[in-house]
Amino acid sequence: MANIKSAKKRIKVIDKKTARNIRVKNHVKEAEKAFLAAIAAGDVEGAEKAFKLAEKKLMQAAAKGTYHKNATSRTVGRFEKKLNALKSGEATKAEPAKKAAKKEAPVVEETVKADASMKKDELIAIAEKMGIEVPAKATKADILAAIEAK
């Protein structure tokens, strides 16, 4: 606990600012949740109203120093992007092209080549994938020979 009068005052001031920041963050979170709920429901008018409120709350938080102005601006931009996607009728969960391409790409089985530098466990796994039964006491050389034979 502080002994000096100015330090005691600083503690009180910090407590007040912390309380204000928590209150402001709660308002922002409520506005964000309302906006995202309207987007998820596909409600364009509700989303527009919620967007205006969320933008206002975010900008107020940035003005008070609760959030950094660039972080606030970035968040508003992302929300606006979601709102525009909803207005134009596009999917609400806009995924980057790279992620969408990865999901749509056909799954191709990789052929793994077994060599002597691999561990015994890896060789056993390859043999099992190929449908080769490996005895428990088989050596690396035995497993390699069985894989190459097939």
Side-chain angles (χ1 to χ4, degrees), residues 29-99:
K29 286 177 192 174
E30 288 172 8
E32 287 178 355
K33 284 180 186 177
F35 172 73
L36 294 174
I39 289 288
D43 180 18
V44 177
E45 286 184 26
E48 286 177 346
K49 289 178 183 177
F51 172 74
K52 286 181 183 180
L53 179 66
E55 183 182 19
K56 179 181 177 182
K57 293 294 181 183
L58 280 163
M59 291 303 174
Q60 285 176 341
K64 289 291 183 184
T66 304
Y67 291 117
H68 193 275
K69 64 178 184 171
N70 292 351
T72 301
S73 193
R74 180 176 60 244
T75 305
V76 169
R78 288 177 181 165
F79 284 174
E80 196 165 15
K81 199 173 189 180
K82 288 181 181 185
L83 181 64
N84 290 338
L86 181 67
K87 285 181 183 178
S88 66
E90 294 177 10
T92 55
K93 291 184 178 179
E95 292 182 289
K98 289 181 182 178
K99 284 188 177 179

Side-chain angles (χ1 to χ4, degrees), residues 4-60:
I4 300 171
K5 188 175 182 181
S6 62
K8 289 178 183 177
K9 181 180 176 185
R10 293 304 307 160
I11 290 172
K12 287 181 182 179
V13 170
I14 289 169
D15 288 342
K16 285 181 185 177
K17 286 185 177 183
T18 302
R20 185 194 68 208
N21 285 342
I22 290 170
R23 193 171 53 251
V24 169
K25 285 182 181 183
N26 285 336
H27 290 302
V28 170
K29 286 177 192 174
E30 288 172 8
E32 287 178 355
K33 284 180 186 177
F35 172 73
L36 294 174
I39 289 288
D43 180 18
V44 177
E45 286 184 26
E48 286 177 346
K49 289 178 183 177
F51 172 74
K52 286 181 183 180
L53 179 66
E55 183 182 19
K56 179 181 177 182
K57 293 294 181 183
L58 280 163
M59 291 303 174
Q60 285 176 341

Side-chain angles (χ1 to χ4, degrees), residues 93-131:
K93 291 184 178 179
E95 292 182 289
K98 289 181 182 178
K99 284 188 177 179
K102 276 187 178 179
K103 287 183 179 178
E104 294 173 8
V107 177
V108 179
E109 285 190 30
E110 296 179 18
T111 55
V112 180
K113 294 184 180 179
D115 58 8
S117 65
M118 296 179 125
K119 294 180 180 178
K120 185 177 176 182
D121 295 336
E122 294 172 341
L123 291 173
I124 291 172
I126 292 170
E128 287 176 357
K129 283 183 183 178
M130 295 175 72

